[in-house]
Amino acid sequence: MARFTLRIRVRYNECDAQNVVFNARYADYVDLASTEFLRAALGGYQELLAQGYENQIVKLLIEWKAPARFDDVLDLNVSVG
């Protein structure tokens, strides 16, 4: 599996008073997408550990192009190089 997409809808509690997603929530989306990727690819994080591996996000760079807003549908893409 070289590419994985998780579709989510922005929830109200992830937004500020202007209905824009808080900046820190994008890191939560990365964690959610990577966890679901592992579930789809290997059966979950515990299976990764059982095979003697671990994963860590050691660098996270976010470049915003446009704000996500309440009730938007986002495609979170994970790819492995």
Side-chain angles (χ1 to χ4, degrees):
M1 176 181 297
R3 186 173 172 100
F4 172 79
T5 300
L6 176 66
R7 181 166 282 182
I8 65 167
R9 184 175 301 274
V10 175
R11 297 169 295 186
Y12 180 77
N13 71 316
E14 297 166 340
C15 299
D16 62 18
Q18 290 76 36
N19 288 328
V20 174
V21 172
F22 289 112
N23 288 348
R25 293 296 185 176
Y26 291 96
D28 294 338
Y29 295 161
V30 170
D31 183 62
L32 179 61
S34 63
T35 299
E36 293 304 319
F37 167 75
L38 288 174
R39 187 181 326 283
L42 301 173
Y45 188 71
Q46 293 303 321
E47 183 57 32
L48 182 75
L49 295 176
Q51 293 181 24
Y53 298 103
E54 291 187 31
N55 81 315
Q56 296 176 359
I57 297 172
V58 296
K59 182 177 182 179
L60 177 61
L61 172 66
I62 300 172
E63 295 182 19
W64 284 269
K65 296 182 182 189
R69 298 179 181 277
F70 171 63
D71 217 29
D72 282 352
V73 174
L74 307 177
D75 285 336
L76 309 179
N77 297 304
V78 177
S79 59
V80 177

